[in-house]
């Protein structure tokens, strides 16, 4: 298994990738339903955690959301993504930064997005402590009306413990979306990324194989639930 929790692994991967873009779990079409759910305004600030070589920041920028900051702890990934947008997307910000230690101002970002970063952090030693520190940092930089959206391969029985902490004061809504099949991807078939709310997680209640879906956790700082 790749060393997903090792920074050296990612630096090597990105420095030898030949400038290849890669999206974990879903592309922008799988993020759009949650951009609308926030709802995100064009003047809102967005933070992307562990961006790697995902074009998500570019997609958001090209869709009119110009206040986007994308971070990754791999300097190789950030160098590549900066070079792609330096002249054509001048307001798009990239920074080499560890999501566990964010050097960003408090209560700034209306939307924070994680596509697999927490999954990778959980491959580290002291994994739960590091995930707790990451979530504490996210809570600190989220605007009062902010939303934290985390994409994962893991079901609620494995991820609820990361987010349901009294110190974060988050209301958590859990969703799942269909995972595209290899056959559909090869055929270029349009994917259905309609999110389905998970009210009570059991395999029997959702009637699906966890391997066939991605899970999305949406955290709000205030006490009102996400519109369903």
């Amino acid at each position: 298994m790749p060393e997903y929790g090792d920074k050296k692994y990612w630096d090597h991967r990105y420095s030898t990738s030949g400038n290849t873009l890669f999206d974990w779990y879903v592309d922008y079409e799988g993020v759009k339903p949650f951009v609308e759910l926030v709802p995100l305004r064009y003047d809102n600030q967005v933070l992307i955690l562990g961006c790697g070589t995902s074009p998500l920041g570019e997609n958001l920028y090209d869709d009119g959301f110009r206040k986007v900051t994308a971070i990754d702890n791999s300097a190789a990934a950030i160098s590549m993504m900066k070079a792609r947008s330096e002249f054509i997307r001048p307001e798009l910000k990239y920074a080499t930064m560890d999501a566990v230690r964010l050097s960003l101002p408090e209560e700034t970002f209306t939307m924070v997005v994680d596509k697999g970063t927490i999954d990778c952090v959980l491959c580290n030693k002291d994994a739960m402590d590091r995930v707790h520190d990451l979530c504490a940092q996210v809570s600190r930089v989220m605007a009062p009306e902010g939303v934290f959206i985390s994409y994962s391969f893991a079901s609620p029985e494995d991820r609820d413990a990361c987010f349901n902490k009294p110190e974060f004061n988050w209301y958590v809504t859990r969703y799942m979306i269909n995972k595209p099949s290899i056959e559909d991807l090869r055929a270029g078939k349009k994917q259905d990324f309609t999110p389905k709310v998970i009210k009570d997680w059991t395999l029997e209640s959702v009637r699906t194989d966890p391997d066939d879906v991605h899970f999305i956790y949406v955290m709000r700082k205030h006490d009102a639930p996400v519109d369903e």
Side-chain angles (χ1 to χ4, degrees):
M1 180 179 177
E3 299 291 335
Y4 289 145
D6 187 349
K7 180 180 179 298
K8 292 179 181 178
Y9 166 81
W10 293 108
D11 281 333
H12 176 74
R13 173 169 173 157
Y14 292 133
S15 62
T16 58
S17 66
N19 294 332
T20 302
L21 297 178
F22 183 79
D23 260 318
W24 287 95
Y25 301 145
V26 296
D27 59 15
Y28 186 44
E29 291 304 310
V31 177
K32 275 185 177 180
F34 294 95
V35 171
E36 296 167 1
L37 183 73
V38 171
L40 194 65
R41 301 193 313 266
Y42 289 131
D43 62 340
N44 288 150
Q45 299 241 28
V46 180
L47 174 63
I48 303 171
L49 303 177
C51 63
T53 56
S54 165
L56 177 58
E58 299 175 3
N59 299 147
L60 285 163
Y61 188 96
D62 294 345
D63 234 6
F65 302 100
R66 299 302 170 88
K67 297 183 178 181
V68 177
T69 300
I71 68 162
D72 199 281
N73 68 354
S74 170
I78 292 300
S79 177
M80 171 186 158
M81 298 309 290
K82 271 186 176 179
R84 284 177 53 86
S85 293
E86 184 176 4
F87 299 109
I88 59 175
R89 301 179 185 91
E91 298 165 87
L92 178 54
K93 298 177 182 177
Y94 285 98
T96 304
M97 193 181 304
D98 189 340
V100 176
R101 293 181 290 274
L102 297 177
S103 54
L104 296 167
E106 295 183 2
E107 298 189 346
T108 299
F109 298 94
T110 301
M111 186 170 80
V112 181
V113 183
D114 151 42
K115 289 202 296 136
T117 300
I118 286 178
D119 291 345
C120 289
V121 172
L122 283 167
C123 296
N124 279 278
K125 295 178 180 178
D126 303 319
M128 290 305 293
D129 288 341
R130 287 178 60 81
V131 168
H132 181 277
D133 291 346
L134 182 153
C135 289
Q137 286 292 300
V138 169
S139 181
R140 180 182 66 81
V141 303
M142 283 169 63
E145 73 282 8
V147 177
F148 176 29
I149 304 169
S150 180
Y151 289 73
S152 178
F153 70 85
S155 66
E157 62 189 353
D158 293 317
R159 286 295 175 270
D160 276 357
C162 296
F163 306 123
N164 285 324
K165 302 285 188 182
E167 58 267 39
F168 303 146
N169 193 30
W170 284 339
Y171 182 94
V172 183
T173 307
R174 304 169 297 183
Y175 297 84
M176 60 185 182
I177 57 176
N178 293 327
K179 184 186 297 184
S181 67
I182 298 297
E183 293 75 15
D184 287 348
L185 290 172
R186 287 173 177 168
K189 183 178 178 181
K190 184 175 176 60
Q191 302 303 310
D192 177 14
F193 288 124
T194 304
K196 304 174 183 66
V197 176
I198 304 171
K199 292 187 179 293
D200 297 303
W201 167 255
T202 63
L203 287 176
E204 294 75 18
S205 67
V206 298
R207 297 181 181 178
T208 190
D209 186 333
D211 291 336
D212 293 335
V213 296
H214 295 304
F215 297 93
I216 303 96
Y217 303 89
V218 177
M219 281 65 69
R220 289 186 182 263
K221 290 188 75 172
H222 54 71
D223 294 329
V226 177
D227 291 339
E228 300 174 2

